[in-house]
């Protein structure tokens, strides 16, 4: 009988740090297939062959969350632990579901790490959806301390063991501490509502980074995080590594998106039909995609141009004076 | 070392003949949750505790097919090999999807039999969905002969190994042989279209029964089969056992369905808002449920009362003269 | 469009309190099929039709853990979220795997509750396996307090959100606080080792009950819990409800188990070949099955008769003087 | 509402022709982990990052079949539709299962093609396991004709819709037509038994190619196929494309395999402890791996050196005179 030495499980980890990919859409109702599958470089195709990362695969499950505001103020989610590209349910429902707000995520877990439904993005709390591309440095040590800081309501959100779920709990904690309850439809508060959402999100990230800084060993964090309530969205591009920038993030802005030749094309300026897409990678070859600069947060309100606000080293918004500026300029990629 | 004798796999079969359960809906758009989960005796609750069968469980997977005619002439399907009652994806999407035509099925496979996605109902071909509660007697022997009778187009439909999939192939064969192609939206041909659909279905069943009669050992067949193209539907209640009747089947007729107190209630007579539900078991305690008599087929056209036509011993329609009669009376259960 | 009122998720809970079923085996190598499938009332058949509970189904996943001491000091586990009776992988591997120590579990989750791989029993920590039939009363409120009491090592065990996983963490906490590390092979410490294991387990349960008592609303707990390191095992039958007893538990004792006519039969008195089975239900109609009285713990060491020790209302062992007694008498069921 | 044109499903096919990867082992009992996971370029790592193909992923499910001859003459199989590298069940059972004959396969399905358990390799019939890397050209058209040529016994093997399952049925057909029944333990017939197995396999492939030639459109076939009964094995490397060779195939020969530093090392010449590995890619950097030349079949009998026999353009063995030669020389890669 061959008798190998048995390595502890921790040894079994491979060296790569896999990252995920996500796409957020806010606009007129879009058929999911049109957004997630048909574009030449759609998220589902990214799950098969990502072009902007050395490691091309995002095959450890996926998730799609979408809003159907006429039916339910709270969104639905569809999660799977199989790769997105071969999931027959996803392919089928994507052709018969349209939505004015979609968050989709393909996951690249570390080989050997846990892949189960409880760990699939986007995470949902009431009317909020949240998804993440990256990692919180030192999470293993920070996890416990993060839990200790939570209200009971936010603590109850944590059902699995990933860093993202703890970021979600911190976000819920921020909502609850500011008097929100997350349930029922979103109220319209103008663009201030989008800024408020961005503030809640970045405060949550700042708290996570603070704990990681106190208890961790200095591992860098990569926090591209998207959150939405169906009418507003906030998406960060953040990293604090010294040698490499944060994960990529792009915004498609200023035009309605229509699927022609499986690409989005530009038609008209912002109006009630305007749509915004924020995505880890450009979904099409359309030149209208703009790269979000490092350490910024994109704030979006339905029907308005997105604004991009700078973040400090602690991930907090540096200057969120909505009355002071108009649309923050987006540099072309 | 304990060394048991090894039985061949065929010995491992248990004695019960499990049956499935299904629900078909045709009417104004209904939120799936309202139809499939909330009713006091909904299909999902039936999957947990069926009341009209000795064996209460339907836990070997499920499927839901639904039409979204404004988005796609062909329906979507969602299948799973896990029990319906604990499927988080189903629970979530049922709250954010509404449809004017829904077919749902919970499966009770024989213990030890194969449970995989390819065997989940409803089966889809172009704009048609088909699902089955029962079994074709002698299928194991009849399978090969059935395949031999098919056109290439219908043969290509068969991807798994269950009797239902072969009934589906025979149905497609009937469609193709009569000049249909199954793709694209259904044309409106009045109630004649519903009768034609019922004829295609019952001809397919008759062919299956004929082969089973020729090559089988006389095992009885139970063929409660539902088919729809989103605008029309046909549902059989058929059996040819000498000692027991076919599986149960009920129709809810004459009123719109609304979810009040998790039950459907009656509101108004047939008009454009009328809805028809055909279901293996009554979903609610509403007295409007009527039992379909044995060996009949229910033909449904959107917005009209369902008609019930008698079937012969060979499962063929005995008299389908739509001009001769009005609504066939449904006997109260 | 039909517009139902949307109940909060908490309303969706059904009324039943489902329980699970488990079987633990310690003896000469047994083919898993012989233990788990072939017996007339095996665990897999229990998953399909339990006879000792009103609610007959245990279909929300299952798990099997087994030891292969010549290959690895730590056991393997196989978990699935599909019902045990239709899992082709389980049926197949059960015929080609033999083991001297097996723990198997079929789960009946509450309808609507979460069924995912992270929640499947048995849970593993190093060489220990643990599984549970029942519930910790008031767990929702107690969860956070339990986590606060844990060492970091034990805290790291918790990856999901079920009460059992938290009992597991408390058990690991007891191991760690008493100088164990759980990894590598078990040392032979005679029957004292089995008593020590039983003490660690019951201390963990006592701590959980104490927290539940302090923060809960008085809901009763049902704690049939089994733990083993491959050479020793401890299994509790415990409940503190005023009106109903704990879940059933049986011991098969005093003889070797052999699969004849798919039943276990008695052959010879305890010797090196002796086997012990502790199970939620009797697996066979063999009269050698003995019911464990309420609020007792069964302590097992390989090759010795099991001893049964009484537990106090706090789940602690009342009198664990191994030198004082021989085999504790087991009352016939 | 955005209204895309709906492509037929056939349009959704992507351009790549994905291939699979497999490993066959015949030798002294080997811990699965040692064979499938630990080697620096093991099959599981190939599933994550294949080095010998442009398309690096094999993430559409996997399967492992293994023999436990002291427990059962027929092998067990473990299949999954999730990627091999993140399957916790595989990782766990691989550490507690050892076997003297293992066949393992990672699948790369075409995007959009069907991934379900019925399509996972290796396929089993009685004591035989079969797996395939490649494709039968023109299968879609050939499928029906292949089925027509089968005995009823072989026809009954087909439960899914892939080309490999039809190759399996043809192989079973050859077994049955030559008086075998495939059940019970393999008899020892010396090396002739291995040659007979190779003949059955290549005859099956030849029949498939003949049908494909008659009804197909000239698409090339790639037929790297492995079959074993636990004591003997045959593995083809075959292709008939004009511009590209068959898929790669390697043999590790002449030495026992031991896991040192996660590599196999050479120790001693062939004797009763000798092991043979045949694999799509080299599992280690050991120079003992030899490339199998195109259009050859490797015949293996337990404890003997493998022999390699040339195949004709029709996939039939050109000269199978075992008495005429000794070990066929294997050219170094």
């Amino acid at each position: 009988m061959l008798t190998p030495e048995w390595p502890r499980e921790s040894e079994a980890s491979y060296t790569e740090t896999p990252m995920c990919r996500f796409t957020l859409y806010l606009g007129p109702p879009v058929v999911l297939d049109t957004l997630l599958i048909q574009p030449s470089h759609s998220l589902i195709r990214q799950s098969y062959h990502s072009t902007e990362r050395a490691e091309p695969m995002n095959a450890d499950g996926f998730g799609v969350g979408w809003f159907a505001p006429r039916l339910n103020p709270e969104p639905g989610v569809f999660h799977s632990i199989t790769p997105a590209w071969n999931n027959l349910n996803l392919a089928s429902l994507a052709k018969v579901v349209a939505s004015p707000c979609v968050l989709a995520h393909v996951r690249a877990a570390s080989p050997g790490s846990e892949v189960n439904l409880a760990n699939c993005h986007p995470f949902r709390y009431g009317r909020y959806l949240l998804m993440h591309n990256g990692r919180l440095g030192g999470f293993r040590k920070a996890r416990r301390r993060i839990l200790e800081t939570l209200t009971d309501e936010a603590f109850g959100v944590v059902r699995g063991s990933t860093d993202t779920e703890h970021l979600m709990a911190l976000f819920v904690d921020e909502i609850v501490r500011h008097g929100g309850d997350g349930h029922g439809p979103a109220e319209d508060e103008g663009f201030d509502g989008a800024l408020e959402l961005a503030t809640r999100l970045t405060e949550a990230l700042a708290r996570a980074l603070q704990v990681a800084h106190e208890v961790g060993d200095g591992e860098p964090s990569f926090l591209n995080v998207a959150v939405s309530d169906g009418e507003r969205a906030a998406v960060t591009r953040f990293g604090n590594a010294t040698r490499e920038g944060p994960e990529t993030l792009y915004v498609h802005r200023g035009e309605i998106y229509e699927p022609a030749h499986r690409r989005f094309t530009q038609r008209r300026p912002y109006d009630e039909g305007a749509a915004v897409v924020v995505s880890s990678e450009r979904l099409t070859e359309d030149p209208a995609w703009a790269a979000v600069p490092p350490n910024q947060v994109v704030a979006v309100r339905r029907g308005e141009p997105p604004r991009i606000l700078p973040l400090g080293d602690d991930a907090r918004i540096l200057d969120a004076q909505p009355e002071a500026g108009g649309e923050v300029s987006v540099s072309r990629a």
Side-chain angles (χ1 to χ4, degrees), chain A:
Chain A
M1 183 72 66
L2 306 182
T3 52
E5 295 167 45
W6 293 98
R8 291 287 180 85
E9 271 162 36
S10 56
E11 289 182 52
S13 63
Y14 300 5
T15 52
E16 303 89 354
T17 298
M19 295 290 175
C20 307
R21 283 289 173 267
F22 64 59
T23 293
L24 177 147
Y25 175 92
L26 195 61
V30 66
V31 177
L32 298 192
D33 180 66
T34 304
L35 176 71
L36 301 178
I37 300 175
Q38 289 193 22
S40 59
H41 190 54
S42 72
L43 195 70
I44 302 308
R45 294 176 199 252
Q46 286 175 41
S47 75
Y48 190 65
H49 213 135
S50 165
T51 56
E52 300 202 18
R53 287 192 51 82
E55 193 53 70
M57 241 187 326
N58 293 276
D60 298 297
F62 69 91
V64 183
W66 72 94
F67 290 81
R70 285 182 299 179
L71 300 177
N72 196 334
E74 303 187 357
V77 286
F78 176 69
H79 290 148
S80 174
I81 61 171
T82 63
W85 70 80
N86 70 26
N87 192 286
L88 298 175
N89 284 326
L90 176 63
S92 188
L93 78 82
K95 291 177 180 167
V96 292
V97 169
S99 169
C101 182
V102 182
L103 287 83
H105 185 275
V106 292
R107 189 165 175 232
S110 304
S113 86
E114 213 157 334
V115 175
N116 73 50
L117 287 176
N119 289 344
C120 287
H121 309 220
F123 292 92
R124 184 170 73 84
Y125 175 79
R127 68 176 173 270
Y128 294 106
L129 292 174
L130 180 148
M131 58 190 177
H132 174 209
N133 162 25
R135 65 157 186 256
L136 177 64
F139 170 65
R140 193 181 294 252
K141 291 187 177 172
R143 179 184 173 201
R144 189 164 194 173
R145 189 78 68 87
I146 289 172
L147 288 177
E148 288 168 1
T149 72
L150 299 175
T151 54
D152 283 349
E153 176 70 16
F155 180 85
V157 165
V158 181
R159 306 183 71 82
S161 55
T162 58
D163 54 353
T164 305
E165 203 171 7
H166 291 71
L167 297 178
M168 177 73 178
L170 286 166
F171 170 73
V172 170
D173 204 58
E174 287 295 309
I175 296 289
V176 171
R177 286 182 194 277
H178 288 82
D181 85 342
H183 297 281
E187 289 176 39
D188 187 10
E189 298 151 329
F191 203 87
D192 282 4
L195 290 173
E196 188 178 305
L197 189 65
T199 303
R200 298 285 171 272
L201 172 60
T202 51
E203 279 297 316
L205 302 187
R207 285 172 58 186
L209 288 168
Q210 177 65 25
V211 173
H213 176 72
E214 288 168 13
V215 305
D217 299 325
E219 305 97 321
S221 293
F222 298 90
L223 300 175
N224 286 18
V225 181
V227 65
S228 179
D229 64 4
E231 295 299 313
R232 295 173 286 243
V235 189
T236 59
R237 183 185 181 208
F238 181 85
N240 60 12
T242 50
R243 296 200 300 185
E244 48 180 329
E247 290 286 297
T248 55
L249 189 71
Y250 294 87
V251 177
H252 196 291
R253 69 195 190 89
E255 301 86 12
I256 194 168
Y257 296 80
E258 290 193 4
H261 307 295
R262 300 194 178 174
R263 292 186 190 169
F264 295 132
T265 53
Q266 316 178 25
R267 288 294 171 82
R268 22 176 174 147
Y270 275 109
D271 58 14
E272 59 181 356
V276 172
V277 184
V278 187
S279 185
S280 303
E281 301 188 19
R282 288 164 286 196
L283 305 182
T284 65
E285 295 172 13
D286 186 335
W289 288 99
V292 176
N295 293 13
Q296 312 273 336
V297 61
V298 185
V300 189
R301 182 200 177 203
R302 177 177 298 284
E304 291 190 33
R307 299 189 204 178
I308 300 185
L309 307 164
L311 303 177
D313 290 344
D314 59 358
R316 286 194 169 86
I317 295 173
L318 288 176
D319 184 8
Q321 304 301 330
E323 66 282 10
E327 178 179 355
V328 174
S329 172
V330 176
S331 62
R332 294 280 157 165

